[in-house]
Amino acid sequence: DTNPETWYYDWDEAIPFTGVFDGDGHTIANLRIVGQGYLGLFCCLEVGAEVRNLGVLNASVTGSRRAIGALVGYSGGSSITCCYSTGKVSGTDTSVGGLVGYTRGGSVTCCWSKAEVTGASFSVGGLVGESWGAVTDCYSTGAVGGTGTWVGGLVGGNYGPVTRCYST
């Protein structure tokens, strides 16, 4: 799509995804989202939801509140597997990540991000902004910058296990 639409929304308008989404190796290209918080292709995932085998290419996601990511803004104990992102993700509040903004439990497995990530507060990461779940077999290679604390190449603020992962 040469003229992608920009979506504007916030948590008050968000409906959490509760099912299983298998992208079957497909990609979403040129995603554009501007809003406040809980922004991503999936703004929020409920406990037990699954997203797998999906790529988000050339994303541009910009938010002024917490939980900003190209694929998922907020993951509440869900499973994100074999997903990836490229493009730019930025936010002026907490929990900004190249793939996922904030995980509250659950897992991020076999995922990667080459997105450029910038944040103006704490918990800014190349793959996950703030993680309270498991991050396994993942990597990030995009530039990451932030003006607050807990800025990391892979995960910004981390409170869960990170296993077999790297960032360049």
Side-chain angles (χ1 to χ4, degrees):
D1 185 358
T2 58
N3 272 324
E5 293 184 27
T6 300
W7 299 346
Y8 294 87
Y9 61 87
D10 191 21
W11 178 252
D12 295 336
E13 302 170 11
I15 298 172
F17 181 74
T18 59
V20 174
F21 187 92
D22 187 337
D24 195 28
H26 291 282
T27 60
I28 303 295
N30 302 315
L31 176 70
R32 303 286 183 260
I33 302 174
V34 177
Q36 292 182 16
Y38 299 88
L39 302 179
L41 179 63
F42 293 88
C43 59
C44 47
L45 302 177
E46 276 292 344
V47 174
E50 295 180 38
V51 177
R52 59 182 178 238
N53 305 315
L54 182 63
V56 178
L57 299 175
N58 193 34
S60 176
V61 181
T62 304
S64 61
R65 293 180 62 194
R66 74 179 313 186
I68 313 297
L71 180 69
V72 176
Y74 173 85
S75 170
S78 54
S79 172
I80 302 165
T81 308
C82 298
C83 295
Y84 59 91
S85 65
T86 67
K88 294 182 180 184
V89 179
S90 63
T92 57
D93 204 338
T94 65
S95 307
V96 180
L99 187 70
V100 180
Y102 183 95
T103 64
R104 185 70 176 168
S107 63
V108 177
T109 307
C110 296
C111 294
W112 57 267
S113 178
K114 293 183 179 181
E116 178 183 318
V117 182
T118 56
S121 190
F122 63 90
S123 295
V124 179
L127 184 74
V128 180
E130 184 171 342
S131 177
W132 291 77
V135 179
T136 308
D137 297 322
C138 296
Y139 70 91
S140 64
T141 60
V144 179
T147 57
T149 58
W150 303 324
V151 177
L154 185 72
V155 178
N158 184 59
Y159 306 93
V162 176
T163 309
R164 295 182 307 273
C165 297
Y166 70 90
S167 175
T168 61

